[in-house]
Amino acid sequence: MSYSISQVKWQQAAPLLKNIREKVFVCERRIPKKIEFDQGDRTAYHMLVCDDENQEPIATGRITPQGEISRIAVVMGYRSKKIDKYIMQGLFRVADSLALKEVFISSPLEKVEYFTQFDFYPIGSVYMEAGMPKQRMACAISRAVKHAEKAKYYLSH
């Protein structure tokens, strides 16, 4: 299988991005729509992953101009394919192009160990968000870019 990852603008790709996030966050995780979709969508840089075989949108993620990575969503049938790594690598490249020094993520508590593989480290204490325990994590962009350079995927704008 092959996948295409593109950096997209919310204004043009909102229906596709919303569809993925509604399946993952609203339907599966029961996060209210009013929390899932916020003003950050309009100013964030979004990644969209499509399955090259059927052209279906299968994953997304975003990064704000300040370096906050969030809304990483992969539809259920593709989670075993490690598509989330492509999203992270694309977001790291965006952060590098913005000349950010550091990126951040609010990790669900059960995913903290997962994000350490991308050289994220915990900062502060655990807190609650949308009824879920979260841990804020950070990563120096110089370390994150090393992960992006290892990736072999098609990146387009």
Side-chain angles (χ1 to χ4, degrees):
M1 294 192 129
S2 64
Y3 309 99
S4 297
I5 182 168
S6 304
Q7 183 180 332
V8 296
K9 294 182 187 237
W10 180 259
Q11 292 77 359
Q12 286 79 34
L16 301 174
L17 301 171
K18 282 182 176 181
N19 187 352
I20 296 165
R21 286 169 46 188
E22 282 182 5
K23 285 178 186 174
V24 174
F25 295 121
V26 177
C27 294
E28 287 180 39
R29 296 239 174 128
R30 307 269 189 248
I31 294 173
K33 275 188 182 182
K34 64 183 177 188
I35 293 174
E36 176 55 30
F37 301 103
D38 60 18
Q39 293 301 322
D41 284 322
R42 296 190 187 284
T43 58
Y45 299 86
H46 297 266
M47 304 307 292
L48 175 65
V49 181
C50 293
D51 183 326
D52 287 339
E53 188 175 310
N54 58 21
Q55 299 303 306
E56 286 291 316
I58 58 169
T60 186
R62 75 178 188 185
I63 185 169
T64 67
Q66 298 78 29
E68 185 77 34
I69 292 174
S70 63
R71 306 312 199 264
I72 299 169
V74 180
V75 296
M76 195 177 292
Y78 290 87
R79 292 190 188 140
S80 64
K81 311 289 185 202
K82 302 185 182 193
I83 304 297
D84 53 327
K85 289 186 180 190
Y86 298 131
I87 296 167
M88 291 295 289
Q89 292 159 347
L91 295 172
F92 290 155
R93 288 182 186 220
V94 171
D96 189 46
S97 72
L98 294 172
L100 296 173
K101 300 263 189 260
E102 209 169 31
V103 290
F104 304 92
I105 194 160
S106 292
S107 171
L109 210 49
E110 71 273 8
K111 296 289 186 183
V112 167
E113 187 175 326
Y114 170 80
F115 287 111
T116 61
Q117 74 179 307
F118 294 103
D119 292 319
F120 278 87
Y121 56 90
I123 51 175
S125 57
V126 174
Y127 62 96
M128 295 298 286
E129 181 180 75
M132 296 171 41
K134 299 262 187 124
Q135 173 68 59
R136 186 158 172 82
M137 301 181 79
C139 178
I141 195 61
S142 59
R143 296 189 64 96
V145 170
K146 289 178 186 174
H147 293 283
E149 290 170 355
K150 293 179 191 172
K152 293 182 180 170
Y153 58 88
Y154 174 67
L155 177 63
S156 66
H157 285 100

